[in-house]
Amino acid sequence: MPPRYFLELPVRTIFINGKVMTPFEVLDDQALLIEDTFISGIIPAHDVQPKEEDRVMDVGGNWIAPGYIDIHVHGGDRADTMDASQEAFDTISRFFARHGVTSFLYTTGTASNEAIWAVIEAYLDYRPPQDGAAPLGIHLEGPYLSEEKKGAQPAAFLRDPEPEQYRKWFDTGVVKLMTIAPELPGALACIQYGKERGVEFAAGHSVATYEQMQGAVDAGLNQATHTFNGMKPLHHREPGVVGAVLADPRIYAQIITDGVHVHPPVVKALVNAKRKERTVLITDAIRAAGLGEGEYDLLGQKVTVADGEARIASGSLAGSILTMDEAVRNTMRFCDLPLQDAVYMATYAPAESIHVQDQRGQLQPGASADIVILSEDATVESTFVEGRLVYQK
């Protein structure tokens, strides 16, 4: 039996006897080659000539796919991004890897400036574990959100954009995505400043009009946070945020496919409208993910998990307990899609939405060796992050 983890990289790792999903196409009778932390080639299987020092991985006819990317996820296995500690960050990273995630954004919630800065400071000093998923930066969900659509975001910390604060956050270079309500005073200036520093923006927890959404997209906003949740329902005379998401091809639509946040036929309608190219699977998972029913904490609020749902005392949904491997399987079932399309929405689409698609989210020479081995039913058999085996079923 191979060891559960190998942290010393061999000269080459060669994957054989699998179906390579790039995810743009499926390649049969091909071998995937890794050198150091990168993919070095995809070649016909009959051309493979292993050297004595190579590690050959026979995947037994399973799928060889890009590792999943979760750009909106708060935590799992009792840890939360807002814990702002090496231990919590490590726990989250390892938990995600067990579910096929190879890279992700640590996602905050609405909190005080001091609490948000503590997360950023902790991340600046952070050294990721060698046996977990690779963090790509931070997603700030708030605090510049609408009180009317706050959901489980604490109202006491909601506020309009504060240039002195967001400039401090963005100037660190670790914030990669921010969820914002475009209708707030100063939101467009925030978006414009962030875009100049490599930050992407998502509309969420918002009551913006269609026109306000168009202004935000023109300023650089390119996606929507957990589409349908934290927004007014679509109205045929007042399109609002949802109407803008459905109509504007520039917008990527994040979606939680747990069957709780969005009814399955509505998930299918969204995917039909946005296609796989602009649909981004997210989990929005909280510290309760992977732990079962019980009471947990989210941003200082008690969260009760029961019957597959996480809710605060008001009854509002409080993130999810979804994992990305389950999100992929659910999306296939809800939308009558092949695995390849669901994998695209969990790999290349999120990578492209934050502009890391050249290195993450696809299997091609030169890309990071982030790989998930999937069985026919999309169960995660093993996870490789930058060429390291970090999880094996």
Side-chain angles (χ1 to χ4, degrees), residues 70-74 81-82 84 89 104-123 136-145 153 158-159 161-181 190-191 193-194 198-205 221 223-226 254 284 299 354:
D70 198 343
I71 64 171
H72 188 151
V73 58
H74 298 274
T81 296
M82 297 304 296
F89 287 178
F104 65 98
L105 297 179
Y106 286 110
T107 304
T108 65
T110 295
S112 67
N113 289 330
E114 293 75 18
I116 293 171
W117 183 246
V119 173
I120 293 173
E121 278 194 312
Y123 188 87
L136 301 178
I138 293 173
H139 171 182
L140 298 178
E141 187 179 13
Y144 310 142
L145 307 175
Q153 304 285 339
L158 294 171
R159 48 201 183 273
E162 305 162 310
E164 181 180 355
Q165 287 300 324
Y166 66 67
R167 289 173 182 167
K168 180 180 178 181
W169 297 337
F170 297 165
D171 288 351
T172 64
V174 302
V175 177
K176 302 303 180 185
L177 178 63
M178 181 182 224
T179 294
I180 193 169
C190 178
I191 293 170
Y193 186 87
V199 183
E200 297 302 329
F201 289 84
H205 296 283
L221 183 144
Q223 53 194 285
T225 284
H226 44 53
Q254 298 177 17
D284 198 14
L299 300 169
I354 59 170

Side-chain angles (χ1 to χ4, degrees), residues 61-362:
N62 286 321
W63 294 98
I64 304 169
Y68 300 150
I69 301 172
D70 198 343
I71 64 171
H72 188 151
V73 58
H74 298 274
D77 199 16
R78 296 195 186 280
D80 188 282
T81 296
M82 297 304 296
D83 295 341
S85 70
Q86 172 91 33
E87 180 181 9
F89 287 178
D90 284 355
T91 297
I92 292 168
S93 170
R94 293 181 177 121
F95 175 72
F96 294 166
R98 298 201 298 270
H99 296 278
V101 172
T102 55
S103 56
F104 65 98
L105 297 179
Y106 286 110
T107 304
T108 65
T110 295
S112 67
N113 289 330
E114 293 75 18
I116 293 171
W117 183 246
V119 173
I120 293 173
E121 278 194 312
Y123 188 87
L124 287 168
D125 294 333
Y126 181 52
R127 295 296 177 266
Q130 293 292 291
D131 58 349
L136 301 178
I138 293 173
H139 171 182
L140 298 178
E141 187 179 13
Y144 310 142
L145 307 175
S146 162
E147 184 168 358
E148 183 178 342
K149 289 296 180 182
K150 67 181 185 298
Q153 304 285 339
F157 295 113
L158 294 171
R159 48 201 183 273
D160 294 340
E162 305 162 310
E164 181 180 355
Q165 287 300 324
Y166 66 67
R167 289 173 182 167
K168 180 180 178 181
W169 297 337
F170 297 165
D171 288 351
T172 64
V174 302
V175 177
K176 302 303 180 185
L177 178 63
M178 181 182 224
T179 294
I180 193 169
E183 71 273 17
L184 295 179
L188 294 186
C190 178
I191 293 170
Q192 290 163 348
Y193 186 87
K195 288 292 293 183
E196 293 171 357
R197 282 149 186 81
V199 183
E200 297 302 329
F201 289 84
H205 296 283
S206 170
V207 293
T209 64
Y210 181 84
E211 291 73 22
Q212 288 169 329
M213 279 292 293
Q214 290 295 288
V217 174
D218 289 343
L221 183 144
N222 79 333
Q223 53 194 285
T225 284
H226 44 53
T227 305
F228 300 112
N229 298 111
M231 306 170 183
K232 288 183 177 179
L234 177 66
H235 190 283
H236 56 288
R237 287 191 296 273
E238 296 177 6
V241 178
V242 173
V245 172
L246 295 174
D248 195 324
R250 296 173 292 177
I251 300 176
Y252 293 85
Q254 298 177 17
I255 187 77
I256 307 170
T257 58
D258 59 356
V260 174
H261 282 77
V262 183
H263 198 285
V266 181
V267 174
K268 187 173 184 178
L270 178 75
V271 173
N272 286 344
K274 301 300 294 183
R275 317 306 298 173
K276 66 182 181 183
E277 289 80 8
R278 286 294 185 271
T279 305
V280 173
L281 302 187
I282 61 167
T283 63
D284 198 14
I286 60 174
R287 72 171 77 241
L291 299 176
E293 297 190 349
E295 294 184 353
Y296 304 92
D297 169 81
L298 177 69
L299 300 169
Q301 306 165 100
K302 184 176 77 172
V303 174
T304 301
V305 175
D307 300 323
E309 301 179 7
R311 295 184 182 271
I312 57 174
S314 68
S316 289
L317 287 167
S320 84
I321 55 172
L322 183 67
T323 55
M324 189 57 80
D325 52 342
E326 185 179 7
V328 167
R329 292 190 294 270
N330 287 348
T331 302
M332 293 169 61
R333 188 171 71 254
F334 295 168
C335 303
D336 301 315
L337 290 175
L339 176 60
Q340 182 182 352
D341 287 354
V343 166
Y344 187 105
M345 291 183 263
T347 57
Y348 192 79
E352 190 177 50
S353 78
I354 59 170
H355 301 294
V356 296
Q357 71 274 17
D358 289 342
Q359 288 299 311
R360 312 275 179 169
Q362 62 173 315

Side-chain angles (χ1 to χ4, degrees), residues 337-392:
L337 290 175
L339 176 60
Q340 182 182 352
D341 287 354
V343 166
Y344 187 105
M345 291 183 263
T347 57
Y348 192 79
E352 190 177 50
S353 78
I354 59 170
H355 301 294
V356 296
Q357 71 274 17
D358 289 342
Q359 288 299 311
R360 312 275 179 169
Q362 62 173 315
L363 302 182
Q364 68 164 4
S368 181
D370 296 344
I371 297 161
V372 60
I373 307 301
L374 301 172
S375 66
E376 282 298 323
D377 64 356
T379 296
V380 174
E381 298 294 328
S382 53
T383 307
F384 293 78
V385 176
E386 297 173 355
R388 299 184 303 275
L389 174 62
V390 299
Y391 169 74
Q392 185 168 314

